[in-house]
Amino acid sequence: MESNFTSPSNPVGFWRRLGAGLLDAIIIGLPLLLITYIITGNTEDNLVTNIISSLYSLLVPVFWHGYTVGKRIAGIRIARIDGEPVGIGTMLLRNLIGGIVYVITLGIGIIVSAIMVAVRQDKRSLHDLIAGTYVTSDQP
């Protein structure tokens, strides 16, 4: 899988990635939580919210060239290391399999990923390595 990999262009570090995630949580997550609360009267373990959030993080980057709303505002996007467009398979590997790894490791994988993004030259986390992706900046 990594045979065509040379070096990601404009890799993005921890803080911009975190900022984009926070923007997604505020712009997409909070309104979604409010709407589903109004409809269902429940904020905890709301299946509708979880499904919509999962579909958002899975499908929006596929249809919007690696961007989510938060990533677009932050000027960053998910890209494949081989230069191909991000597809549904890539995002399933990145989100679903990456998420399973984080759950199996009881969250230790998340800490390892944060450290990897901070110290690796290519800024790739565990879920990036699993999916063959990296996060890049629009600006050089």
Side-chain angles (χ1 to χ4, degrees), residues 67-107:
Y67 293 102
T68 62
V69 172
K71 282 181 174 58
R72 176 66 99 177
I73 293 168
I76 65 177
R77 67 182 177 85
I78 302 164
R80 285 183 31 168
I81 58 171
D82 62 6
E84 293 295 316
V86 175
I88 194 78
T90 301
M91 293 309 298
L92 280 169
L93 284 171
R94 185 178 163 90
N95 294 353
L96 183 63
I97 305 304
I100 290 170
V101 168
Y102 295 148
V103 168
I104 288 172
T105 62
L106 304 175

Side-chain angles (χ1 to χ4, degrees), residues 13-34:
F14 177 80
W15 293 111
R16 282 182 73 187
R17 289 168 75 140
L18 178 64
L22 290 173
L23 286 169
D24 274 330
I26 292 167
I27 296 168
I28 302 299
L30 285 178
L32 177 60
L33 185 64
L34 181 63

